[in-house]
Amino acid sequence: MAETTHDLVVIGAGPGGYVAAIRAAQLGLNVACVEEVEALGGTCLRIGCIPSKAMLESSERYHETKSALAPHGVKVSGVDLDLAQMLRRKDEVVGGRTKGVEFLFKKNKVTRYLGRGRIEGPGRVVVKNGSGSTDLRTRHIVIATGSKPTTLPGIQMNTDRIGASTEALSYSAVPKHLVVIGAGYIGLELGSVWLRLGAKVTVVEYLERILPGMDMEIAREGQKLLERQGLEFRLGQRVTGARVDGKSCVVECQDAEPIRCDRVLVAVGRAPNTDGVGLDSVGIKTDEKGRIPVDDRFATSAPDIYAIGDVIRGSMLAHKAEEEGVACVERIVTGYGHVNYDAVPGVVYTQPEIASVGKTEEELKESGVEYRKGVIFFRANARAHCLGQIDGRVKVLAHARTDRVLGVHIIGPRAGDMIAEAAVAIEFGASSEDVARACHAHPTLAESLKEAALAVDGRAIHS
Ligand SMILES: Cc1cc2nc3c(=O)[nH]c(=O)nc-3n(C[C@H](O)[C@H](O)[C@H](O)COP(=O)(O)OP(=O)(O)OC[C@H]3O[C@@H](n4cnc5c(N)ncnc54)[C@H](O)[C@@H]3O)c2cc1C
């Protein structure tokens, strides 16, 4: 077996792993990254963030062209869907991005190994692929093996009809009736895609609310707006099974009529992926949720072995994985590096977008923190009127005594871009007064954040 020595071996080339590898190479380490799939970029680039956003963008263009341009004085007729081309475009976007990571590896002299990596003891990773094994010796190991979709008992997964997000990114025809199990962000985003393309979409959720973990006021408004678009919600319903029955599928729910449909998307969450990584060879034990326990340096219980991204605690988000990758290798090389989890935003790319950073109102209430709140509706924003997208609101939560911004929650046009300013405010420990005093260009949607910050002190001008 060939043997090669590196300073650092990263297992997994998702946003956590590939970013960690590049940053470590920038810091002067001799770095290898092991990835079992030919295309680099992990879940995010191949079957997650990027293909879903490509489909959201294309389906929104289709829907808008078909039914939302008349108020702008644009008459369109004969609009047709070319789903095959839409899927091809999505694949091209993905292909371009994964090739981009290959380019970055070459540029930064990160050695890539194609194959499945397994830790075989301290400082040793063995890579296996169709053509044999390579034995890598290394000072440090970063595990960045990500996550995989989970399911529920009683659901007979069958990739053709009853599948997870990966299948829902590539249906070859628009379903007549799609049932989405789970009202988290993946279910709502992919449900929106197929709704816009013409499917009837029913979302079944065990909880009495959508988007668990998001600020309640914002989630309620999200539900109302999505219902208005045609998404049907069945909340508070426990799915007890799903199976293919002839040409259709049947989703069974406790104490409710079964739902007959032609496709089922199971979007009930993701589980850390530690299969075959060799944790046992170095004595690492996973926690009750299958995650690898780490300390604030991302160190596992085994010396010189670290873990980042979806495979550890915290939200399963690409940018969180990236931040952890950077902080982890900076700590290894320089002794410094941290992630401020209060400033990690979350975005749901529905129409309108839903974005959030910091504490929710429910979390503040629960922890007894006194806060003041400013809310501004987009119907008070001139740019939103020009866009023809006046639904939604911006909510700023600030500490009652210090005025420090503790949370910002937005539902509305381009909320995903607007939330960046709020994340910077939280990272810098800004007060709502700081945000309110900063000059914002007119007419922009960002003016609503300024106004919401003013509203914390009852001084909003335009509402
Ligand atoms: C449909 C969907 C949409 C999403 N949209 C968003 C979004 O809009 N924004 C966002 O922030 N997040 C989004 N996510 C979540 C995001 O994709 C993940 O949080 C992110 O990819 C996690 O990064 P990671 O590096 O930890 O792991 P991953 O991206 O899962 O990468 C892990 C990599 O490790 C490889 N691997 C695993 N085991 C081995 C092994 N033993 N040897 C070699 N290679 C191995 C895998 O092949 C994979 O490439 C989405 C996810 C899905 C499914």
Side-chain angles (χ1 to χ4, degrees):
M1 188 181 344
E3 188 184 305
T4 319
T5 303
H6 295 277
D7 297 323
L8 169 68
V9 171
V10 180
I11 307 177
Y18 87 72
V19 169
I22 291 171
R23 182 68 189 124
Q26 285 176 345
L27 290 164
L29 299 192
N30 173 345
V31 185
C33 186
V34 185
E35 169 57 57
E36 64 181 326
V37 179
E38 176 90 45
L40 298 170
T43 303
C44 168
L45 265 62
R46 289 187 288 107
I47 47 170
C49 324
I50 301 307
S52 59
K53 267 78 254 179
M55 288 303 283
L56 279 156
E57 194 61 43
S58 296
S59 58
E60 182 55 24
R61 298 273 175 100
Y62 170 70
H63 169 77
E64 192 180 42
T65 310
K66 208 167 169 213
S67 40
L69 291 181
H72 292 271
V74 181
K75 284 190 177 175
V76 191
S77 57
V79 179
D80 276 331
L81 174 64
D82 181 350
L83 180 59
Q85 166 57 21
M86 198 177 274
L87 294 171
R88 250 191 320 272
R89 175 186 177 274
K90 179 248 318 170
D91 292 339
E92 281 164 16
V93 172
V94 168
R97 298 301 81 220
T98 60
K99 285 263 175 295
V101 179
E102 254 176 57
F103 164 79
L104 293 173
F105 271 8
K106 284 198 186 111
K107 182 178 160 202
N108 289 282
K109 302 194 173 39
V110 172
T111 310
R112 188 260 154 105
Y113 290 91
L114 174 61
R116 193 160 179 77
R118 184 182 155 81
I119 301 172
E120 298 274 7
R124 188 169 171 221
V125 175
V126 173
V127 186
K128 283 198 177 137
N129 60 27
S131 39
S133 300
T134 311
D135 195 350
L136 305 180
R137 301 296 168 136
T138 178
R139 171 92 197 277
H140 308 281
I141 297 170
V142 172
I143 303 168
T145 47
S147 62
K148 55 191 177 196
T150 51
T151 184
L152 295 172
I155 296 183
Q156 294 165 13
M157 292 296 264
N158 145 324
T159 47
D160 190 35
R161 315 295 290 281
I162 305 179
S165 51
T166 307
E167 288 75 44
L169 286 165
S170 296
Y171 295 151
S172 56
V174 179
K176 285 192 182 61
H177 185 185
L178 169 67
V179 170
V180 179
I181 307 176
Y185 77 91
I186 293 178
L188 296 188
E189 288 183 2
L190 293 176
S192 295
V193 165
W194 295 105
L195 177 80
R196 293 168 193 170
L197 298 182
K200 170 182 164 136
V201 179
T202 306
V203 182
V204 188
E205 165 62 51
Y206 173 63
L207 298 175
E208 291 288 354
R209 58 164 297 176
I210 68 166
L211 294 173
M214 279 253 173
D215 189 274
M216 192 59 145
E217 177 181 343
I218 300 293
R220 275 211 193 100
E221 178 150 9
Q223 182 185 340
K224 198 182 71 193
L225 294 175
L226 290 170
E227 273 168 349
R228 206 201 287 163
Q229 288 164 26
L231 269 192
E232 180 187 285
F233 287 102
R234 292 208 189 176
L235 302 182
Q237 286 199 7
R238 181 196 285 273
V239 170
T240 52
R243 62 189 155 83
V244 173
D245 181 28
K247 289 198 165 158
S248 57
C249 305
V250 180
V251 177
E252 269 141 12
C253 306
Q254 198 171 18
D255 305 326
E257 285 294 298
I259 313 170
R260 218 164 245 287
C261 57
D262 57 341
R263 290 265 188 195
V264 181
L265 160 58
V266 183
V268 292
R270 297 180 63 83
N273 180 17
T274 54
D275 301 344
V277 181
L279 300 184
D280 46 335
S281 75
V282 284
I284 299 174
K285 294 208 168 11
T286 53
D287 69 11
E288 71 293 348
K289 292 189 172 161
R291 302 172 297 197
I292 300 177
V294 291
D295 66 12
D296 64 352
R297 295 178 305 126
F298 307 100
T300 67
S301 58
D304 298 318
I305 303 185
Y306 303 82
I308 57 168
D310 280 10
V311 82
I312 66 167
R313 80 287 189 262
S315 49
M316 289 188 172
L317 292 170
H319 43 284
K320 176 253 189 196
E322 289 185 28
E323 294 298 316
E324 290 177 342
V326 169
C328 173
V329 297
E330 287 185 347
R331 286 290 281 259
I332 293 173
V333 179
T334 70
Y336 302 100
H338 84 291
V339 177
N340 178 359
Y341 290 100
D342 276 338
V344 174
V347 180
V348 187
Y349 296 82
T350 45
Q351 177 63 268
E353 292 177 351
I354 304 173
S356 151
V357 64
K359 304 285 185 221
T360 63
E361 209 171 339
E362 293 73 39
E363 284 171 331
L364 292 179
K365 279 188 185 136
E366 204 176 307
S367 54
V369 175
E370 289 192 20
Y371 63 91
R372 293 196 299 165
K373 156 174 161 178
V375 176
I376 285 294
F377 293 88
F378 278 104
R379 60 173 176 266
N381 179 294
R383 186 66 187 278
H385 281 272
C386 298
L387 288 172
Q389 294 176 28
I390 59 166
D391 290 324
R393 67 186 72 182
V394 181
K395 166 161 136 177
V396 174
L397 302 167
H399 196 282
R401 194 169 40 81
T402 65
D403 193 36
R404 191 176 175 139
V405 177
L406 300 174
V408 176
H409 307 279
I410 307 175
I411 177 165
R414 298 175 199 170
D417 292 314
M418 279 179 70
I419 204 69
E421 182 185 350
V424 172
I426 290 182
E427 183 67 39
F428 281 23
S431 62
S432 73
E433 184 73 21
D434 289 328
V435 177
R437 292 273 169 199
C439 183
H440 288 66
H442 175 76
T444 57
L445 297 165
E447 286 174 290
S448 288
L449 180 59
K450 176 189 169 93
E451 287 274 313
L454 279 167
V456 168
D457 192 39
R459 290 163 27 218
I461 304 287
H462 296 92
S463 90

